[in-house]
Amino acid sequence: MKAKPPSKPKTHLHLHQEEPQNPSEFSFAIPKIAVSQICQSVGYKATQLSALNALTMVATKYLEAIAKSASSLANTSNCTQSNLLDLTLALHHLVTLHTSTLFSISFSRGGIIRDLADFVSFNDEIPFAKPIPRLQITSIPSWTSSFSSSSSSSHVPKWLPKFLDSVISCSVNERKCGERLWEDSVLGGRGFGLVDLLLGL
Amino acid sequence: MNHNKQQSSDGGHDDDAALSDFLASLMDYTPTIPDELVEHFLAKTGFQSPDLRLTRLVAVATQKFIAEVASDALQQCKARQATVVRDKRDKQQKDKRLVLTMEDLSRALHEHGVNVKHQEYFADSPSIGMDPASRDE
């Protein structure tokens, strides 16, 4: 009986993926990692490259569709900034598009926001795999101090008035008349039952 | 009538509290999709909002959608593996590995209203698959 020759070690073919060269490739490579993490959390052990690319494309298109719908809803209300109501209506429109029957939409007891709240509460968070360097915003140099010192700001005449600190230091979210962003207060905005609309009651 | 109005107002206060709690919890929850990437796509389409909670809400909604699609594809994959006739033990061990394929993904996306089509095969030349007689012509 002839002895079998030792089996050759299996060589794994490493596909060297090229690094993204332009911003569009970079903005596609990052969601690809996130989508692969989501697939792994669901239970998959591996994925085809074409399937991963297709699912990543769908994710980016879904994201853009939500944003586009929310911004158009805000513009029809003569607003430039979108709020929670615009976002919720945009999600409602997308849900009606990608569900097979209208009865699958949870109109009776909850709504889109409640479904998302349940998803957040019952699913473990999956942070992004790669470390994200946060941009450190240095403190804005105070112009008043530079103007006060005569040696560093000799080019500025002394008889010019100083900058108004109150205008610079006012918060974005609150005006002098007391108006606040709608998200800071639960009720408010455009004057109708927003909470009921959001929760589908 | 006044009792019904009071009940509806109490229910409304509970919903307000639930909504505010959810918006506050979004600041503690880290979505898989980074905030910077979501802000890039939001800015690309003209969405403006200084509130980070709305950005996280969009990220969570996208993550939920992708998780649902992947879960449906996984069910398709498991159902397909359950119907496969197992001939050898090697095939059994190979088939147990769950792999996301275009076939399962296209079926799962079709249920969510997204039509994805892919080529079944790619031919090297137009004459591949033809009869030798017709190929000579």
Side-chain angles (χ1 to χ4, degrees), chain B residues 85-101:
Chain B
V85 178
R86 298 183 181 87
D87 293 332
K88 296 179 182 180
R89 189 174 290 181
D90 293 335
K91 281 189 178 179
Q92 286 182 13
Q93 290 176 357
K94 285 182 183 178
D95 288 336
K96 281 185 180 178
R97 198 178 179 214
L98 299 170
V99 180
L100 177 64
T101 61

Side-chain angles (χ1 to χ4, degrees), chain A residues 36-201:
Chain A
S36 60
Q37 283 184 263
I38 297 171
C39 292
Q40 188 182 21
S41 70
V42 167
Y44 277 110
K45 299 300 179 187
T47 174
Q48 290 180 350
L49 269 177
S50 57
L52 183 61
N53 289 335
L55 193 56
T56 305
M57 182 66 70
V58 168
T60 56
K61 294 293 182 188
Y62 188 81
L63 224 158
E64 291 178 1
I66 296 174
K68 196 178 286 185
S69 181
S71 61
S72 66
L73 285 168
N75 292 336
T76 53
S77 304
N78 300 325
C79 293
T80 55
Q81 290 185 355
S82 303
N83 58 8
L84 184 59
L85 178 63
D86 299 326
L87 210 52
T88 307
L89 290 176
L91 287 171
H92 266 289
H93 292 162
L94 279 176
V95 168
T96 56
L97 285 175
H98 72 67
T99 51
S100 57
T101 58
L102 290 176
F103 291 106
S104 61
I105 305 168
S106 51
F107 274 140
S108 57
R109 278 298 292 174
I112 298 296
I113 301 296
R114 186 162 290 180
D115 291 340
L116 291 176
D118 293 340
F119 178 79
V120 168
S121 59
F122 292 120
N123 285 279
D124 298 331
E125 60 181 20
I126 311 167
F128 192 65
K130 301 290 184 180
I132 301 170
R134 304 287 178 184
L135 183 64
Q136 297 293 332
I137 300 174
T138 57
S139 60
I140 300 172
S142 58
W143 292 98
T144 54
S145 62
S146 63
F147 286 149
S148 61
S149 60
S150 59
S151 60
S152 61
S153 60
S154 58
H155 61 285
V156 181
K158 292 182 181 179
W159 50 267
L160 277 177
K162 296 179 181 179
F163 278 105
L164 298 172
D165 291 338
S166 60
V167 174
I168 296 172
S169 62
C170 69
S171 63
V172 177
N173 295 335
E174 191 170 345
R175 293 183 178 177
K176 288 183 179 178
C177 57
E179 292 179 357
R180 298 171 63 192
L181 282 179
W182 186 84
E183 286 78 26
D184 294 337
S185 58
V186 178
L187 285 178
R190 298 182 188 133
F192 49 95
L194 296 168
V195 176
D196 295 337
L197 182 64
L198 291 174
L199 297 178
L201 296 174

